Amino acid sequence: MKKTWQPEELVEYWTLLPLELGLLNQKNDENRLGFAILLKFFEIYARFPENNQEISKIVVDYVAKLLDISPQKYSYYDWQGRSIKYHRAQIREFFGFQETKVSDAFELTTWLAEQALIYELKFEQLKLAALARLRNLKLEPPTDSRLERIIRSAIRNFESKFFRDITSQLSNQSKKWIDDFLKEKASDQELDDNTEVNHDKQLNNLGDMQLSQQLDNTNHSEINTDVPILTWAELKTDPGRIGVESFQKEVAKLEIFEQLELPADLFKKIPTKVLQVYKSRVVVEHPRDLRRHPEHIRYTLFTAFCWLRSQEVIDNLVELLIQIVHRISANAEKRVDKELIQDFKRVHGKNNLLYQMAEASLKTPDGTIKDVIFPVVSEVTLKNLVKEYKSTGNAYREKVYTVMRSSYGGYYRRILPLILNKLEFRSNNEVHRPVIQAISILKKYADSKQRYYDAGEDIPIDGVLRSGWQEIILETGADDEIKVNRINYELSVLQALREKLRCKEIWVVGANRYRNPEEDLPADFEAQRLEYFQALKQPSDVEVFIANLQQSLEQSLTLLDKGIPKNNLVTLKTTGKSRICVSPLNPQNEPVNLTRLKTEITRRWRMTSLLDILKETDLRVKFSQHFQSVSTREVLSNHTLQKRLLLCLYGLGTNTGLKRLSDEIKGDNYQDLLHVKRHFIQKEQLRNAIACVANAIFTARISTIWGEGTTACASDSKKFGAWDQNLMTEWHIRYGGRGVMIYWHVEKNSVCIYSQLKTCSSSEVAAMIEGLLRHCTEMKVETNYVDSHGQHEVAFAFCHLLGFQLMPRLKRINVQKLYRPSTGNNDAYPNLQPILTRAINWDLIRQQYDQMVKYATALRLGMAETEAILKRFTRGNLLHPTYQALAELGKAVKTIFLCKYLHSVELRQEINAGLNVVENWNSANSFIFYGKGGEIATNRLSDQELAVLSLHLLQISLVYINTLMIQQVLSQPQWMKLMKLEDLRALSPLIWGHVNPYGTFRLDLNVRLPIETG
């Protein structure tokens, strides 16, 4: 039961009706109060409270006041005697409920086993489903322990049936292959972390330039085209640095999975998250351990692992293909630019020079160039003109293409047969059929050694070759017949394929992120259309949707038009590109009393160990209970497990590593910590622990200090250095250096509700929407503040459809335009004429309304990764009709926001304050994540994610403990009296002047921090 209730909630849920008041007759005061609370509690939750502590004091006071009874009487109510049994029986009879019998429990177990897939085998979700089922059947739920046994039994029953069903679909040949494979790999030694780290360090010591030179100087005969998988550990690893060898290794993994010959529809109806549960069990086990499982368990676990790994490997191959084709082009341009930059000199005043040359030529038409032209325009200037043309026109493109062709033909071309043989490309759009046909041509000539395609071959040109490149790529023979060079054409096809793969107009069979985009959308949309619209709280009638939006747009434009003449902070110019001028906000000094408060906290809790902060948070919140082993059984005691979990989380979150902690902490060696990390610390479990701490902060807050709960958060990213032998690490074009991005969602009082690991080039829009939809905290997010990189017209459109308000701080506010609500009234809004542009095309929105809602529903339901869905709506796919409609909708919503943004300085201050909070969160990252220079020192994607989430958990634990410390100080009247309104407004629990993350690591679970409140 929640502890905080709003006054309107108390009235709605805890007010007794006349019929209910009649049940209180013939009872003394303590029994009347206790009975009334039991009655209303049962009406809300369809169960009885376990003890008197479960009832909030706010509720007791409210009900006592209704009944005109002293709240103190509640403490005298007997929770163990005969009276409460009689009261419960009365309440059950009143609501028509019965106690759960053995037969009811059996039926519930059977029902839960049938529903297990729907709820992805998650215990908490199954528990909620069970309680809802019992409520519908008007059965009182059993005790928590008995209900837990029922749910566990249902999961076991489901798994037993599931394992046997999957095994029955496997051929004898597949089963034999699995047994032979596990027997062969059972002799392999699991690659330990030391070996992997040393191997990664060796790879990272090779600089980019050195590796590039190695690739350029390598002959075809020196490349090893047969890269076998040597160990079981390698089969589970992520791809390394972008290049041919990584591609070959991924193909070798795929070939192993293909040998299993699994039925195409084996796991078709099984949610990916369920398969991930079984895959995680396989990942932590050695082949010899897998062989010990009964046959039906062994075969199902291994096939689930191979099924998902096959999808991951295909996705990795597509990513490598995209990156390799981009590298060929980027490196060629870089090399040509480097050559040209040495003698490049841009010539100014070319038009004037042309006039002088023409005038001199006309005066002396019979003269020589040396006598007529050179005196007017020097020879050096003319040479610079030639160089400039060569660097900007077709000559430059020819030079770039020559380098690209050389790089592809001499080195990268060897991956083409692997692409054609291992990846099957398809498209749902006829417009992109030429690329699919071109791939078929490449397959046809894959084994041919001829230089050109046959003269009679139908070679797709339009839709494959880039505009402006045809004259460079196509060759003309002596008889004026156009010939298509195979190498030139292959490179062009790969470039076209890359562009279509990035926007998913071409998809890959067997992939996950690059699968058929139709699978990302709800298949039952037409049948469930009304329910999907209601879930999004959008009208099912497009005319109503457009009318509401038009009205909001007209009101916003009118508000700004009337207010702009009186607005001293915003100026509109009538000429030039920069027409909007917004005065910057004045910086605010830190209130003096906050400095005094920080000094007092440092005095009371001087140099508090960060490890003790994590420990104290767990002892109060018990987030470690969310870490369950992926194995079927564990023998560690709760005390030992809790201690090792905290050490692992601290080592990962500070980036000091497990080895340093194991050397400092006696009794827990490195292998013990490594076992706990592999078996207990998973991404989803960390997210649950973070949500648990976040919810504890929301519950512990005192509203007089922190204000009422907020529905707004801010999101931004921060770059972290990282090893680059993987597909996640990229060079950042703005900040420089190799690394990854961590995208944070932080509410106004420094509670980070969601974090994500992203590549430097990935969409911040996708990350922003992902965090709003997937955070598992109790916070209800309605507004999100972002910087310029987190906003886009498509982002405005999807946020509007999903029910969020997107409020960006626009960097280029000076060039923004406002769109008109309708055509034919160009004189409307006279004060806004300099920044008004065309009217919104409502017909586009009208035609694609259902499609837009379908994509928004897919995002809401998480049918695919957010970034995978949004790949359809990038600049490379401008002709997509739904993209065009989303862009129009985004323009309308953005115009509404811009009007409010320009009109209200308070809104600009609110957005700026929200983004300052997330920037403060970013600044604390380096204080906590101090190990190894703050660089994520691993190439494994799973370990990178664990490091990021552990940092998140450590930092939010710091916020939790600081919240309690601040509240304890301010609980003293003299301190609270000192705090003014501006002090409370600027108060943040994200402070670390009193914290020590370094030094000797000591962990004693019996020693507590001296914090009284909470």
Side-chain angles (χ1 to χ4, degrees):
M1 175 184 176
K2 65 178 186 177
K3 298 298 181 183
T4 57
W5 293 81
Q6 299 300 322
E8 58 273 14
E9 292 178 321
L10 291 171
V11 173
E12 180 180 357
Y13 294 107
W14 293 95
T15 302
L16 281 86
L17 301 177
L19 191 62
E20 295 169 339
L21 288 170
L23 298 175
L24 305 183
N25 295 333
Q26 298 179 354
K27 293 181 176 65
N28 58 30
D29 284 352
E30 55 264 32
N31 284 345
R32 289 178 65 213
L33 181 57
F35 184 92
I37 290 174
L38 287 181
L39 177 72
K40 300 307 290 184
F41 188 98
F42 193 91
E43 183 181 18
I44 298 171
Y45 297 104
R47 67 176 180 87
F48 292 109
E50 294 185 3
N51 51 59
N52 62 344
Q53 300 299 322
E54 193 173 352
I55 307 299
S56 169
K57 185 178 183 299
I58 299 174
V59 170
V60 174
D61 292 344
Y62 177 78
V63 177
K65 185 177 181 180
L66 280 180
L67 301 177
D68 195 20
I69 299 174
S70 170
Q72 302 298 327
K73 294 287 186 179
Y74 179 68
S75 60
Y76 298 112
Y77 185 65
D78 186 4
W79 284 77
Q80 304 296 330
R82 291 180 298 175
S83 294
I84 193 171
K85 293 180 181 180
Y86 175 66
H87 291 168
R88 286 176 174 175
Q90 269 189 293
I91 293 171
R92 279 194 295 267
E93 183 181 357
F94 179 77
F95 288 110
F97 273 66
Q98 295 180 348
E99 291 186 87
T100 302
K101 303 174 184 176
V102 175
S103 59
D104 297 324
F106 178 78
E107 291 178 3
L108 179 63
T109 304
T110 305
W111 182 84
L112 284 173
E114 296 171 353
Q115 303 297 311
L117 268 186
I118 299 175
Y119 298 100
E120 300 169 350
L121 302 184
K122 294 181 178 179
F123 178 85
E124 290 300 325
Q125 293 189 15
L126 283 171
K127 183 177 180 180
L128 293 175
L131 292 174
R133 173 74 172 177
L134 291 169
R135 183 167 196 155
N136 291 334
L137 296 175
K138 290 192 174 293
L139 292 173
E140 179 190 352
T143 62
D144 279 351
S145 58
R146 187 183 177 195
L147 183 59
E148 180 179 351
R149 290 196 299 272
I150 291 173
I151 296 172
R152 301 289 183 198
S153 176
I155 294 177
R156 284 194 301 271
N157 292 346
F158 162 78
E159 288 190 334
S160 177
K161 183 178 183 301
F162 173 68
F163 290 160
R164 297 186 188 281
D165 287 346
I166 294 298
T167 302
S168 67
Q169 298 179 58
L170 298 178
S171 65
N172 292 330
Q173 183 179 354
S174 297
K175 295 176 184 177
K176 183 178 183 304
W177 188 92
I178 293 173
D179 291 334
D180 293 342
F181 179 86
L182 293 177
K183 183 178 181 180
E184 175 189 349
K185 297 301 178 184
S187 59
D188 291 344
Q189 288 295 321
E190 188 78 49
L191 198 64
D192 63 18
D193 276 22
N194 285 338
T195 308
E196 292 188 14
V197 169
N198 292 335
H199 177 63
D200 286 345
K201 285 182 178 178
Q202 292 172 5
L203 291 175
N204 277 282
N205 288 335
L206 290 173
D208 293 347
M209 186 178 299
Q210 179 183 354
L211 183 64
S212 177
Q213 292 173 350
Q214 288 177 350
L215 299 183
D216 290 340
N217 298 330
T218 304
N219 295 323
H220 185 281
S221 59
E222 296 173 345
I223 296 297
N224 177 19
T225 58
D226 183 18
V227 186
I229 299 297
L230 299 177
T231 65
W232 167 246
E234 275 193 293
L235 199 61
K236 301 182 289 185
T237 56
D238 300 316
R241 181 192 287 266
I242 298 168
V244 172
E245 289 190 5
S246 293
F247 200 94
Q248 291 170 333
K249 286 182 178 180
E250 293 303 297
V251 168
K253 296 175 190 176
L254 186 59
E255 288 176 345
I256 286 184
F257 299 134
E258 287 176 345
Q259 292 175 22
L260 190 52
E261 296 182 351
L262 296 178
D265 59 347
L266 183 62
F267 295 109
K268 194 81 171 180
K269 298 180 180 179
I270 309 301
T272 301
K273 291 184 179 179
V274 173
L275 297 180
Q276 287 285 2
V277 172
Y278 299 128
K279 180 197 165 194
S280 61
R281 286 171 59 178
V282 176
V283 167
V284 300
E285 293 189 3
H286 194 274
R288 62 173 172 267
D289 299 320
L290 287 172
R291 292 179 67 198
R292 297 191 182 108
H293 291 301
E295 283 190 355
H296 62 284
I297 297 178
R298 177 171 72 248
Y299 293 146
T300 303
L301 291 179
F302 190 80
T303 52
F305 166 80
C306 292
W307 181 276
L308 289 183
R309 278 299 289 154
S310 175
Q311 292 181 347
E312 292 170 0
V313 168
I314 292 175
D315 282 333
N316 291 337
L317 286 172
V318 177
E319 287 285 354
L320 285 168
L321 171 61
I322 290 172
Q323 296 293 342
I324 286 173
V325 175
H326 172 70
R327 171 174 284 187
I328 293 172
S329 174
N331 286 353
E333 290 181 4
K334 190 184 299 183
R335 181 173 169 183
V336 172
D337 289 346
K338 189 175 181 180
E339 294 174 359
L340 291 174
I341 201 79
Q342 297 174 357
D343 58 357
F344 174 77
K345 183 178 180 182
R346 186 173 295 278
V347 180
H348 297 282
K350 289 186 282 291
N351 292 336
N352 188 42
L353 292 176
L354 179 62
Y355 168 75
Q356 293 174 2
M357 291 169 60
E359 186 180 39
S361 300
L362 291 173
K363 284 182 178 179
T364 316
D366 297 330
T368 62
I369 293 176
K370 187 175 183 180
D371 296 333
V372 177
I373 302 297
F374 282 0
V376 179
V377 182
S378 68
E379 183 179 0
V380 174
T381 302
L382 290 174
K383 286 182 178 179
N384 288 335
L385 276 169
V386 173
K387 289 178 181 178
E388 182 176 336
Y389 171 76
K390 288 183 177 180
S391 66
T392 57
N394 280 343
Y396 173 77
R397 284 191 290 183
E398 288 179 9
K399 200 162 189 178
V400 169
Y401 194 81
T402 301
V403 177
M404 289 172 57
R405 188 184 189 282
S406 174
S407 177
Y408 170 71
Y411 182 69
Y412 290 107
R413 193 186 186 194
R414 69 206 61 210
I415 69 171
L416 182 63
L418 302 178
I419 295 171
L420 299 177
N421 291 333
K422 298 301 176 184
L423 299 179
E424 183 180 349
F425 302 99
R426 295 183 185 178
S427 177
N428 301 331
N429 194 334
E430 288 297 324
V431 175
H432 308 291
R433 298 302 298 174
V435 180
I436 301 297
Q437 294 168 1
I439 293 172
S440 300
I441 296 292
L442 300 190
K443 286 184 179 181
K444 181 178 177 181
Y445 285 83
D447 298 326
S448 174
K449 294 185 179 180
Q450 62 192 67
R451 184 176 179 182
Y452 298 97
Y453 292 108
D454 294 338
E457 192 70 63
D458 183 15
I459 308 294
I461 300 298
D462 295 334
V464 177
L465 301 189
R466 293 180 178 179
S467 59
W469 288 77
Q470 294 187 11
E471 62 273 18
I472 300 173
I473 295 171
L474 301 179
E475 301 179 12
T476 304
D479 54 354
D480 292 334
E481 183 183 359
I482 295 178
K483 298 189 295 184
V484 181
N485 184 285
R486 284 182 59 205
I487 293 182
N488 290 348
Y489 191 71
E490 288 169 4
L491 185 53
S492 298
V493 171
L494 291 178
Q495 288 177 321
L497 179 62
R498 174 183 181 270
E499 296 302 321
K500 304 309 176 187
L501 284 170
R502 292 184 69 200
C503 60
K504 294 188 73 172
E505 287 295 347
I506 291 180
W507 51 277
V508 184
V509 176
N512 180 30
R513 295 196 305 273
Y514 293 93
R515 66 185 179 185
N516 185 350
E518 295 300 320
E519 296 179 18
D520 297 341
L521 303 177
D524 60 346
F525 183 81
E526 295 302 326
Q528 303 291 328
R529 182 179 182 277
L530 187 59
E531 288 79 1
Y532 286 139
F533 275 89
Q534 290 174 346
L536 291 173
K537 298 180 181 178
Q538 298 293 350
S540 58
D541 186 351
V542 65
E543 297 303 331
V544 176
F545 177 81
I546 290 177
N548 293 339
L549 202 58
Q550 279 181 322
Q551 183 180 2
S552 297
L553 186 55
E554 290 170 358
Q555 290 174 349
S556 300
L557 287 168
T558 301
L559 178 68
L560 181 61
D561 181 63
K562 290 181 178 179
I564 203 71
K566 305 174 186 177
N567 196 332
N568 298 324
L569 299 177
V570 178
T571 304
L572 302 184
K573 301 177 181 178
T574 57
T575 59
K577 292 183 178 179
S578 301
R579 298 197 174 190
I580 303 176
C581 181
V582 180
S583 300
L585 299 172
N586 296 323
Q588 302 292 319
N589 296 323
E590 182 180 24
V592 177
N593 292 328
L594 287 189
T595 305
R596 295 173 180 169
L597 179 62
K598 292 178 183 178
T599 303
E600 177 66 14
I601 289 174
T602 302
R603 186 188 68 81
R604 295 192 187 189
W605 295 281
R606 185 175 185 80
M607 289 298 101
T608 302
S609 168
L610 185 59
L611 181 57
D612 284 340
I613 286 176
L614 181 67
K615 173 199 69 179
E616 185 69 22
T617 303
D618 185 37
L619 292 175
R620 289 172 177 265
V621 177
K622 297 179 174 55
F623 65 75
S624 60
Q625 293 181 356
H626 291 279
F627 295 93
Q628 302 294 326
S629 175
V630 296
S631 303
T632 53
R633 60 184 293 269
E634 282 291 342
V635 294
L636 290 175
S637 66
N638 291 336
H639 182 273
T640 302
L641 176 59
Q642 183 184 23
K643 182 179 179 182
R644 291 178 183 175
L645 273 172
L646 293 176
L647 290 173
C648 287
L649 294 170
Y650 184 83
L652 294 172
T654 59
N655 207 29
T656 54
L658 305 187
K659 270 208 162 165
R660 287 185 175 88
L661 285 171
S662 64
D663 292 341
E664 291 284 346
I665 303 293
K666 305 302 180 185
D668 294 290
N669 61 42
Y670 173 65
Q671 292 300 328
D672 292 334
L673 297 184
L674 188 60
H675 172 83
V676 169
K677 177 195 166 221
R678 286 176 173 171
H679 288 256
F680 288 89
I681 302 180
Q682 306 291 323
K683 183 170 71 171
E684 288 304 317
Q685 295 172 340
L686 267 167
R687 290 205 183 280
N688 292 336
I690 290 167
C692 178
V693 178
N695 293 334
I697 296 174
F698 298 146
T699 303
R701 279 179 184 165
I702 299 174
S703 59
T704 55
I705 297 175
W706 306 104
E708 298 299 331
T710 179
T711 58
C713 72
S715 55
D716 196 12
S717 61
K718 181 178 180 180
K719 174 183 171 288
F720 281 68
W723 288 359
D724 64 352
Q725 304 297 313
N726 56 82
L727 297 183
M728 181 61 68
T729 304
E730 295 178 347
W731 185 272
H732 201 289
I733 58 175
R734 276 190 297 140
Y735 302 135
R738 63 190 182 184
V740 296
M741 303 298 290
I742 304 180
Y743 200 81
W744 308 104
H745 283 73
V746 186
E747 60 93 58
K748 71 171 185 177
N749 286 322
S750 300
V751 174
C752 183
I753 60 175
Y754 201 76
S755 59
Q756 303 164 71
L757 179 70
K758 310 290 288 183
T759 61
C760 294
S761 62
S762 61
S763 167
E764 287 199 13
V765 171
M768 178 268 297
I769 295 176
E770 176 81 8
L772 296 179
L773 293 171
R774 304 289 170 255
H775 78 92
C776 298
T777 70
E778 294 175 355
M779 180 182 177
K780 182 182 179 182
V781 181
E782 296 177 354
T783 304
N784 191 60
Y785 312 123
V786 295
D787 241 322
S788 292
H789 300 285
Q791 63 85 31
H792 187 271
E793 287 163 355
V794 171
F796 273 103
F798 274 121
C799 283
H800 181 76
L801 291 171
L802 292 166
F804 302 113
Q805 281 188 298
L806 181 61
M807 294 189 176
R809 179 173 59 188
L810 295 169
K811 185 177 182 180
R812 301 181 71 245
I813 186 67
N814 56 316
V815 295
Q816 299 298 322
K817 294 290 185 180
L818 304 181
Y819 287 81
R820 301 176 188 271
S822 59
T823 57
N825 193 9
N826 294 336
D827 296 332
Y829 319 113
N831 296 319
L832 306 180
Q833 290 297 322
I835 58 174
L836 284 173
T837 184
R838 66 171 177 84
I840 296 294
N841 187 346
W842 299 106
D843 286 337
L844 267 177
I845 297 175
R846 188 174 285 109
Q847 294 163 10
Q848 294 292 319
Y849 184 49
D850 274 24
Q851 283 297 313
M852 292 191 294
V853 171
K854 184 184 288 188
Y855 278 101
T857 299
L859 289 173
R860 181 182 65 84
L861 297 177
M863 299 188 67
E865 294 180 10
T866 303
E867 189 163 3
I869 294 175
L870 294 184
K871 280 181 182 291
R872 302 297 305 274
F873 310 116
T874 60
R875 289 190 177 91
N877 202 18
L878 290 174
L879 298 179
H880 196 292
T882 308
Y883 180 30
Q884 294 176 343
L886 285 166
E888 286 300 304
L889 175 58
K891 289 179 174 68
V893 178
K894 185 177 181 180
T895 298
I896 295 171
F897 164 75
L898 281 171
C899 291
K900 297 176 181 177
Y901 185 84
L902 295 174
H903 179 75
S904 172
V905 65
E906 291 80 10
L907 178 60
R908 297 198 293 274
Q909 290 173 337
E910 177 187 337
I911 294 172
N912 201 61
L915 290 171
N916 286 343
V917 172
V918 73
E919 287 168 2
N920 185 43
W921 176 275
N922 285 337
S923 64
N925 295 160
S926 55
F927 172 77
I928 296 176
F929 202 73
Y930 62 85
K932 301 164 189 171
E935 182 179 63
I936 300 178
T938 178
N939 284 312
R940 286 184 251 171
L941 174 60
S942 58
D943 285 352
Q944 290 178 343
E945 290 178 325
L946 293 185
V948 169
L949 291 170
S950 297
L951 165 62
H952 186 174
L953 180 60
L954 258 181
Q955 197 158 322
I956 201 172
S957 297
L958 174 63
V959 171
Y960 173 71
I961 295 300
N962 283 345
T963 299
L964 300 183
M965 289 178 174
I966 291 171
Q967 290 180 174
Q968 180 165 325
V969 174
L970 296 183
S971 65
Q972 299 177 351
Q974 66 270 25
W975 272 102
M976 193 62 193
K977 187 176 180 180
L978 192 66
M979 303 296 287
K980 296 183 173 61
L981 185 62
E982 57 268 23
D983 297 318
L984 295 176
R985 188 185 299 120
L987 183 61
S988 170
L990 188 56
I991 54 177
W992 55 89
H994 60 295
V995 178
N996 178 26
Y998 320 110
T1000 304
F1001 306 112
R1002 296 187 178 89
L1003 179 60
D1004 188 346
L1005 297 178
N1006 297 318
V1007 178
R1008 304 291 296 271
L1009 291 180
I1011 302 175
E1012 299 171 3
T1013 58

